[in-house]
Amino acid sequence: MPVREPIVLIEDIKQLKRETDTAIFAHNYMDPDIIEVADYCGDSLGMALAAEQAKQKNILICSVRYTAETAAVMAPDKNIRLSHSQAICPVTGQMSAVRVRKYREDNPDVCIMASINSSLEIKAEADICADAENILRVASSVKKDKILFLPDESLGNYLKENMPEKEIEVWPGGCPVLRSVDISDIELARQKWPGVPVVVNNACRSEVRKLADFCASTGEIVEYCNKSLHEVIICDEISIHGRLYRKYPERFFRQLAPSKLICNSMRLTTLEVVERALKGEAGEQIILPFDLAESARAPLEAMIKAVSRKRKTK
Ligand code: SF4
């Protein structure tokens, strides 16, 4: 097939979506072109809730595996396909379910809270799940005084710093992309763009977060930038800058540490991959072991109950 311009490919994908009755859900970290063909764009929780409510039977998740698995748990009546079978978040391999199970045996009084960025096996061991945007709200709903938060050490530390009334335990681990940013990157950006506010993802290291003017989840960063009429330095995965730059070409969004803030797993999904996945030639149909899915559903539902608010759509 001859090489097609993105604009042509986008139209072909939209046509294919109609023919196959498929909804496309794109993670916040997808390229702007993928968001262009998506019916929904948001975080993993948002996508899982949107999958539950979608009128289409077929849903193509453009993200990494744990997002597609979470959607499959929450919407078992839908056909969930992951755009690229190798799109695996390295965080999901950082912790074993066996270790968590052993911890529970030894610490029955501790609430185990799993990040939504965890494997299905870890979720299945947890009491409740949490995402970056709602972590404080979810933790507030926990009755127990002590919480083990895993597998993201940075987000766990964020929880610890913002919820001194609870005893929070964290284990080493977390997003290698966001954790690659260090103090020198912030200092360099401040030298380059003096006086410009720096917005930092709350899954970055504590020392980096402490230097931020605004620290929040990706969804909240996008919201902040949507409202800001001024220059902003963004410390989040590089796709966020690309998306905002496309939406507001007249504004000045600056990317902090552009060579570090790239998630290779998210970048695997291109327009060509989306088209092939819609044709069933790429990606993977998500089929989960029933018992594992049921065990993971309870902590996800506990999170949704704790959050219980309307989610934003694209
Ligand atoms: Fe995983 Fe980090 Fe990539 Fe998200 S950005 S998929 S947490 S490696």
Side-chain angles (χ1 to χ4, degrees), residues 268-289:
L268 287 174
T269 299
T270 60
L271 280 178
E272 287 78 8
V273 164
V274 171
E275 185 183 45
R276 291 187 57 232
L278 283 170
K279 290 177 176 171
E281 296 167 359
E284 186 181 318
Q285 198 71 26
I286 300 294
I287 297 166
L288 304 175

Side-chain angles (χ1 to χ4, degrees), residues 2-273:
V3 175
R4 285 164 292 166
E5 292 289 326
I7 194 164
V8 177
L9 201 42
I10 285 170
E11 284 315 307
D12 288 350
I13 288 172
K14 287 181 178 170
Q15 175 66 22
L16 209 47
K17 272 197 329 178
R18 286 189 288 274
E19 286 170 15
T20 58
D21 190 31
T22 303
I24 295 182
F25 292 173
H27 188 275
N28 277 324
Y29 285 171
M30 283 291 111
D31 282 332
D33 279 347
I34 310 286
I35 293 173
E36 180 99 20
V37 295
D39 300 274
Y40 177 88
C41 172
D43 57 20
S44 300
L45 174 59
M47 281 197 267
L49 294 176
E52 256 186 322
Q53 291 159 14
K55 60 181 188 315
Q56 295 90 339
K57 183 93 178 141
N58 305 311
I59 296 166
L60 178 65
I61 300 280
C62 297
S63 180
V64 289
R65 183 171 294 272
Y66 74 78
T67 313
E69 288 178 346
T70 306
V73 168
M74 296 311 297
D77 57 327
K78 303 282 165 55
N79 297 321
I80 306 286
R81 193 172 189 88
L82 173 63
S83 52
H84 196 295
S85 59
Q86 296 305 310
I88 295 165
C89 168
V91 180
T92 54
Q94 289 173 348
M95 213 155 275
S96 86
V98 174
R99 185 178 170 205
V100 179
R101 208 172 302 138
K102 172 80 175 71
Y103 178 91
R104 182 186 288 290
E105 280 166 25
D106 298 342
N107 302 273
D109 295 334
V110 178
C111 169
I112 299 178
M113 187 187 287
S115 166
I116 201 160
N117 299 19
S118 60
S119 66
L120 206 58
E121 288 76 9
I122 295 291
K123 287 186 183 82
E125 295 296 330
D127 296 300
I128 194 163
C129 290
D131 64 346
E133 186 168 333
N134 298 293
I135 187 168
L136 301 178
R137 201 186 314 229
V138 173
S140 302
S141 75
V142 171
K143 300 274 185 302
K144 290 179 176 173
D145 295 329
K146 190 170 174 191
I147 296 172
L148 168 67
F149 181 80
L150 39 86
D152 192 322
E153 180 185 352
S154 300
L155 209 49
N157 285 332
Y158 171 80
L159 176 60
K160 202 186 262 190
E161 289 155 22
N162 286 283
M163 194 152 285
E165 64 275 26
K166 296 263 188 215
E167 195 182 332
I168 313 288
E169 183 177 344
V170 294
W171 291 351
C175 169
V177 177
L178 296 172
R179 285 176 57 78
S180 69
V181 177
D182 56 37
I183 292 174
S184 67
D185 294 310
I186 304 274
E187 287 170 349
L188 201 67
R190 287 214 189 270
Q191 272 171 25
K192 208 167 163 190
W193 301 295
V196 179
V198 180
V199 296
V200 171
N201 188 298
N202 58 359
C204 286
R205 291 175 188 275
S206 298
E207 60 269 29
V208 169
R209 271 189 280 109
K210 281 177 187 152
L211 296 177
D213 294 288
F214 177 66
C215 172
S217 67
T218 296
E220 290 164 323
I221 286 177
V222 170
E223 215 171 298
Y224 174 97
C225 290
N226 275 332
K227 286 181 191 153
S228 171
L229 297 175
H230 306 289
E231 209 170 340
V232 180
I233 301 169
I234 301 168
C235 177
D236 202 335
E237 209 274 344
I238 198 161
S239 56
I240 299 302
H241 176 269
R243 175 171 157 196
L244 288 162
Y245 178 76
R246 180 177 289 196
K247 194 167 176 190
Y248 306 108
E250 73 289 0
R251 295 195 203 164
F252 294 97
F253 295 112
R254 311 298 189 184
Q255 176 65 51
L256 187 135
S259 59
K260 290 182 175 179
L261 285 164
I262 301 172
C263 174
N264 293 327
S265 303
M266 290 286 182
R267 299 282 73 74
L268 287 174
T269 299
T270 60
L271 280 178
E272 287 78 8
V273 164

